[in-house]
Structure formats: structure tokens, C-alpha cells
Amino acid sequence: MGAMQIARVSRDGGPRYGIIDDETDDLVMLASDPLFQGLATTGERVPRSQAKLLAPVIPRSKVIGVGANFATDPAERERLAAAPPVLFFKPNTSVIGPDEPIVWPEYAPRIACEPELAIIISRPCRQVPAERAEEVIYGYTVANDVTAQFDGPTRWVEAKAFDTSCPLGPVMDLDFTSGTIIGRVNGEERVRGELSDMVRNPIELIVEITKICTLLPGDIILTGTPGAMVMGEGDVAECEIEGLGVLSNEIRR
């Protein structure tokens, strides 16, 4: 096997987990939730093509989003780095998986999708120093920070917290390092960026966020986007990070 990638799938009446064998594309099924009980396998193998993928993790407590965290212009990077990070919450009820519909809230005049790298937290942590931040990262997945857009001031809860506003998937990768981030609408590329263009990298974000609140196993940090894609009803958003896969969801009213 290459990179350690784990999928959460619907099987036997409930969610199960499997390690992806990249030689056969089978899922090597795990005995339980790897985040809490480790990587013991059952001996069962399931072809990935026969498995319905779910969100790879449902946070026990929260998703924390980061705004304004990408810049290529040196002056803009310096300006953003000098200011505190822009942070917001999404509840765990906002999480959906691959190919599940994003439901456009009735109150929102516009809706946008934002491809992002998501950090999965491995253990309870607070006041994490930079040299230990790697220890609290379980892995990474692709996220779509779906945002309701308004005329006038941002209404943060309505904009960010609605049901279906946080698609995650298709897998969690325990070895991911970096890759290009791409957003498409109906197959047409709209957003492209490099994770190296983050103003604050995952380590720095963990340091800043854990100064404020405790993170718990399975909590998610959304690390910001290189660009937003305004969507229409029936459009399909594809969020891809090279090495992590493609997360696809359709907009419905």
C-alpha cells in the first residue's frame, strides 16, 4: 500500500471503516472507528465500487473554519499575517458526505462553494505549541465550505452553519503532505490554488485555534480557500485536492 487512506462507508446497516488497498482498490475493513480504536482489521475485503462512501468523519463537537487564508501577493500575505485569523464555527449537523445534496437555504439570495483542505484532529488538545502540533493531526480530507451569500454585512451563522453546508470526503489520508486545490462547477474549472499559498499553514492554525478553545478527536479545521464558486440550482460542485481525491455534491433547493 502507498499512502494510508481510510474510507467510511455504509455497510451492514451502519457506518464501517476500511483501509483502501491502492493495488486492488478494495477496502480492507476495520473492526471499529480507527480514530478511537486503532487499525485492527476484520479480514473482510469489499470492492470500493460496491461501497457507498460517507463523510469520513463526523466531528464529535465542531468544525472550525478559517477565512482569508490564501494570498499570492506578498503585500497581501503580510497584511493578512499581521492580523488575527478570521475564524468561525460550523456545527457537526452541517456535515454531509460525497454525492449527498447540498440544500440551498430558502433565506439565502446566493450560495457559493469553496474547496478547502480539512484537518482531522486526533486527540483532545489545548494550547498546543508549534513543535507538537503534528501530534494532534490524525489526517486530512477534502472539504467544501458552502456559504450563503447576502447583500450587506455577513450574517455568519446563516452563512456558514446551515444543514449540508460542510461536505467532507471522499477519504481521510493519514500521510498527506501537499497538493494543488481545484474547484469545478459542472466539470468546468473555476478555482485553482496551491496549498503553499496559505497565509497560515496547518501547524500555525492549530497553534492559534487551541489558544482559544479545546479541540477534541474528530474535530475539523477548514483551512481556507483559494476562491469561491457561485452556484446555481442543479449545479454540481467538485472540490479536488491532488492526492486526496474529488468531493462532488449537487446543489438542490
Side-chain angles (χ1 to χ4, degrees):
M1 295 186 186
M4 172 75 80
Q5 293 191 333
I6 298 172
R8 179 171 169 265
V9 300
S10 178
R11 189 158 179 83
D12 301 330
R16 296 274 309 280
Y17 297 82
I19 299 171
I20 297 170
D21 183 335
D22 53 14
E23 293 182 3
T24 64
D25 215 29
D26 287 348
L27 295 173
V28 180
M29 302 306 293
L30 296 175
S32 54
D33 185 338
L35 195 58
F36 296 95
Q37 274 88 38
L39 298 172
T41 60
T42 64
E44 180 187 8
R45 298 177 75 96
V46 177
R48 186 172 172 179
S49 59
Q50 295 179 14
K52 174 179 168 45
L53 267 59
L54 306 172
V57 62
I58 300 292
R60 291 285 178 96
S61 69
K62 57 193 169 294
V63 177
I64 299 179
V66 181
N69 196 40
F70 273 77
T72 54
D73 177 70
E76 176 72 356
R77 289 180 67 85
E78 188 173 338
R79 183 186 72 79
L80 291 172
V86 176
L87 303 175
F88 56 88
F89 285 115
K90 285 178 178 273
N92 58 10
T93 46
S94 68
V95 173
I96 59 173
D99 301 315
E100 292 188 63
I102 296 163
V103 181
W104 187 327
E106 292 181 0
Y107 57 74
R110 293 178 304 282
I111 192 169
C113 290
E114 302 176 4
E116 308 203 3
L117 176 69
I119 305 166
I120 303 166
I121 297 299
S122 64
R123 63 183 71 176
C125 57
R126 189 168 187 273
Q127 303 278 18
V128 178
E131 61 270 17
R132 301 202 64 181
E134 286 279 2
E135 298 173 24
V136 309
I137 298 174
Y138 186 75
Y140 296 90
T141 191
V142 183
N144 183 351
D145 175 18
V146 188
T147 305
Q149 295 184 336
F150 301 94
D151 301 313
T154 298
R155 291 149 51 183
W156 283 98
V157 173
E158 292 108 314
K160 295 290 191 179
F162 59 91
D163 289 357
T164 75
S165 67
C166 190
L168 298 175
V171 299
M172 51 182 163
D173 191 310
L174 279 51
D175 304 309
F176 179 76
T177 52
S178 192
T180 300
I181 185 166
I182 302 160
R184 302 183 190 87
V185 178
N186 303 327
E188 178 186 329
E189 186 174 307
R190 300 282 181 86
V191 171
R192 178 176 285 263
E194 299 300 327
L195 294 175
S196 56
D197 291 333
M198 285 184 188
V199 176
R200 290 178 172 88
N201 64 31
I203 299 301
E204 294 166 314
L205 291 174
I206 288 168
V207 170
E208 292 290 334
I209 290 167
T210 61
K211 289 176 183 176
I212 303 165
C213 64
T214 298
L215 297 177
L216 298 179
D219 279 357
I220 296 288
I221 299 173
L222 307 180
T223 59
T225 186
M229 310 181 293
V230 177
M231 308 296 292
E233 184 178 2
D235 284 348
V236 175
E238 287 184 5
C239 299
E240 178 179 5
I241 298 176
E242 292 177 348
L244 285 182
V246 179
L247 173 64
S248 180
N249 302 86
E250 182 182 348
I251 307 292
R252 294 187 193 166
R253 288 282 195 176

